Amino acid sequence: MWMLVAVSFALKLLSTFVQHLGSLWGSLGALIPRLRAAFWLAGGKKSQQRQGRRKPRETSREDEEDRGLPVTPSSVNYHFTRQCNYKCGFCFHTAKTSFVLPLAEAQRGLLLLKEAGMEKINFSGGEPFLQDRGKYLGQLVKFCKQELHLPSVSVVSNGSLIQERWFRNYGEYLDILAISCDSFDEQVNVLIGRGQGNKNHVENLHKLRTWCKDYRVAFKINSVINRFNVDEDMKEQIKALNPIRWKVFQCLIIEGENSGEDALREAEPFVISDEEFEAFLDRHRDVPCLVPESNQKMRDSYLILDEYMRFVNCRNGRKDPSASILDVGVEEAIKFSGFDEKMFLKRGGKYVWSKADLRLDW
């Protein structure tokens, strides 16, 4: 009898518990979709934040933190002049001023950079051979090698103004000469803006290649891939010239330089998509010296000094200058450079850049 009462009481308790449990599951069943939605939205916001960090026009928390980290200017690009004799439609360092520092001031700045850790200097423009018919450039090159003992001194030029006597006077102090050549079709070069009267850009390229060999200067080619040359096949020509590196850049938009109301160039007609750039690279993947640089790799991975020796920050899609290193020193000015040292290393910015170490078969 007492056993039956106990069993009956236990069954009632179990029934009550099951009812409450069912009610609880019902509540959770209604709540779970809301929880899933909340987690999904949170994840989506985090994903959007991560994607936003990839956009060059937005400054992330990581960017702000990076500015406080010390940066060693191991490789510096000094655009000491904006003047040029060519009119490339996509140029992103245009002739907005005619200013060039006095030679002694430029040398003082280069000494400051060496003391801060610079190992490689690259002189560019504009067209660097335009100033004083190349003598100004030659004196800077000689100073960097002979006085500062830099491991690497290089120059980027369109090549149109270089004379053999410059090699005789300064070739021993130059490690690398990079010549800009965007096409091996002379008509395409004219369309791009690399035409100058009766001079043939491609023929001149071969002459410069010979002089580099004769005077023991490493030879390099830079090409900007754009709307007019994106379908070109350059494999055979590049292999025949055999440069130590063939830098292939995707056409880049910089506000105030080649885009916008105050720009001297309009590069929009030259712009290609990421997919078109990748297709060009795929077509040339068997060229051993190919070094590709997309917009993402290129934008923040260069330490650039303008004609006033100010670092220019391109993180926001334009060139925002720091104070000059001549006024505030390298350590202070470089904080505002926007330089992405990780991307610099990732894109292969540090390589064998001294001709003494290249061991080329001259």
Side-chain angles (χ1 to χ4, degrees), residues 87 133 210 288 297:
K87 300 184 184 299
R133 297 184 179 181
T210 300
K297 287 183 178 180

Side-chain angles (χ1 to χ4, degrees), residues 112-151:
L112 291 174
L113 289 164
K114 168 65 188 303
E115 291 172 343
M118 179 174 68
E119 300 174 24
K120 179 182 185 293
I121 183 70
N122 178 56
F123 295 107
S124 188
E127 172 47 51
F129 282 87
L130 197 57
Q131 182 69 19
D132 198 15
R133 297 184 179 181
K135 185 177 179 181
Y136 182 93
L137 171 65
Q139 289 174 308
L140 290 179
V141 167
K142 184 176 180 180
F143 174 78
C144 286
K145 187 61 75 170
Q146 196 172 62
E147 302 296 327
L148 301 184
H149 306 288
L150 291 182

Side-chain angles (χ1 to χ4, degrees), residues 41-256:
L41 287 171
K45 287 180 180 178
K46 288 182 180 178
S47 176
Q48 288 174 356
Q49 290 170 357
R50 287 193 295 269
Q51 290 174 1
R53 289 173 189 165
R54 299 189 190 108
K55 296 178 182 178
R57 292 183 178 273
E58 295 181 6
T59 303
S60 71
R61 188 185 215 171
E62 292 175 356
D63 293 339
E64 296 294 337
E65 291 173 353
D66 286 346
R67 288 179 184 174
L69 298 176
V71 175
T72 301
S74 58
S75 177
V76 177
N77 298 272
Y78 177 24
H79 296 248
F80 65 80
T81 179
R82 284 178 170 267
Q83 297 298 302
C84 189
N85 59 324
Y86 277 10
K87 300 184 184 299
C88 303
F90 48 71
C91 180
F92 57 82
H93 200 75
T94 55
K96 306 195 84 171
T97 77
S98 58
F99 181 80
V100 176
L101 275 171
L103 182 65
E105 282 293 273
Q107 291 174 335
R108 179 167 75 88
L110 291 167
L111 176 58
L112 291 174
L113 289 164
K114 168 65 188 303
E115 291 172 343
M118 179 174 68
E119 300 174 24
K120 179 182 185 293
I121 183 70
N122 178 56
F123 295 107
S124 188
E127 172 47 51
F129 282 87
L130 197 57
Q131 182 69 19
D132 198 15
R133 297 184 179 181
K135 185 177 179 181
Y136 182 93
L137 171 65
Q139 289 174 308
L140 290 179
V141 167
K142 184 176 180 180
F143 174 78
C144 286
K145 187 61 75 170
Q146 196 172 62
E147 302 296 327
L148 301 184
H149 306 288
L150 291 182
S152 182
V153 181
S154 65
V155 171
V156 175
S157 167
N158 63 39
S160 64
L161 302 176
I162 304 177
Q163 301 295 322
E164 187 175 6
R165 65 174 177 270
W166 192 93
F167 281 94
R168 286 196 294 267
N169 294 331
Y170 304 109
E172 64 180 293
Y173 310 111
L174 183 64
D175 290 276
I176 302 169
L177 176 63
I179 300 298
S180 300
C181 181
D182 305 315
S183 176
F184 290 93
D185 182 335
E186 192 60 24
Q187 293 304 310
V188 173
N189 284 321
V190 172
L191 283 172
I192 288 171
R194 292 200 190 278
Q196 193 184 29
N198 295 324
K199 289 186 178 180
N200 186 297
H201 191 77
V202 177
E203 289 179 2
N204 195 52
L205 182 70
H206 285 269
K207 180 174 66 176
L208 291 167
R209 177 68 181 93
T210 300
W211 285 345
C212 282
K213 182 177 181 181
D214 292 344
Y215 292 92
R216 296 177 175 267
V217 175
F219 181 70
K220 177 181 170 186
I221 296 176
N222 289 351
S223 300
V224 178
I225 308 308
N226 61 84
R227 178 58 51 208
F228 295 99
N229 65 1
V230 68
D231 296 320
E232 190 170 338
D233 189 333
M234 307 182 188
K235 291 194 293 288
E236 296 308 316
Q237 293 91 336
I238 294 294
K239 288 179 179 179
L241 287 162
N242 192 29
I244 59 162
R245 282 161 74 88
W246 178 34
K247 290 286 283 291
V248 173
F249 304 98
Q250 183 181 2
C251 182
L252 179 66
I253 293 290
I254 296 291
E255 184 181 339

Side-chain angles (χ1 to χ4, degrees), residues 300-360:
D300 306 325
S301 64
Y302 284 85
L303 271 175
I304 299 175
L305 282 178
D306 70 3
E307 64 272 26
Y308 300 99
M309 284 199 153
R310 304 177 301 186
F311 288 108
V312 291
N313 185 333
C314 299
R315 283 196 171 185
N316 292 318
R318 59 180 184 270
K319 289 186 173 179
D320 296 321
S322 70
S324 174
I325 66 171
L326 298 171
D327 297 328
V328 301
V330 176
E331 184 178 355
E332 181 62 25
I334 206 170
K335 293 177 183 177
F336 301 92
S337 65
F339 179 58
D340 186 341
E341 196 164 16
K342 291 179 182 177
M343 183 59 78
F344 165 74
L345 296 172
K346 185 178 179 180
R347 70 167 172 81
K350 200 152 190 173
Y351 58 98
V352 180
W353 52 32
S354 171
K355 65 181 178 183
D357 298 328
L358 285 167
R359 297 176 183 175
L360 296 175

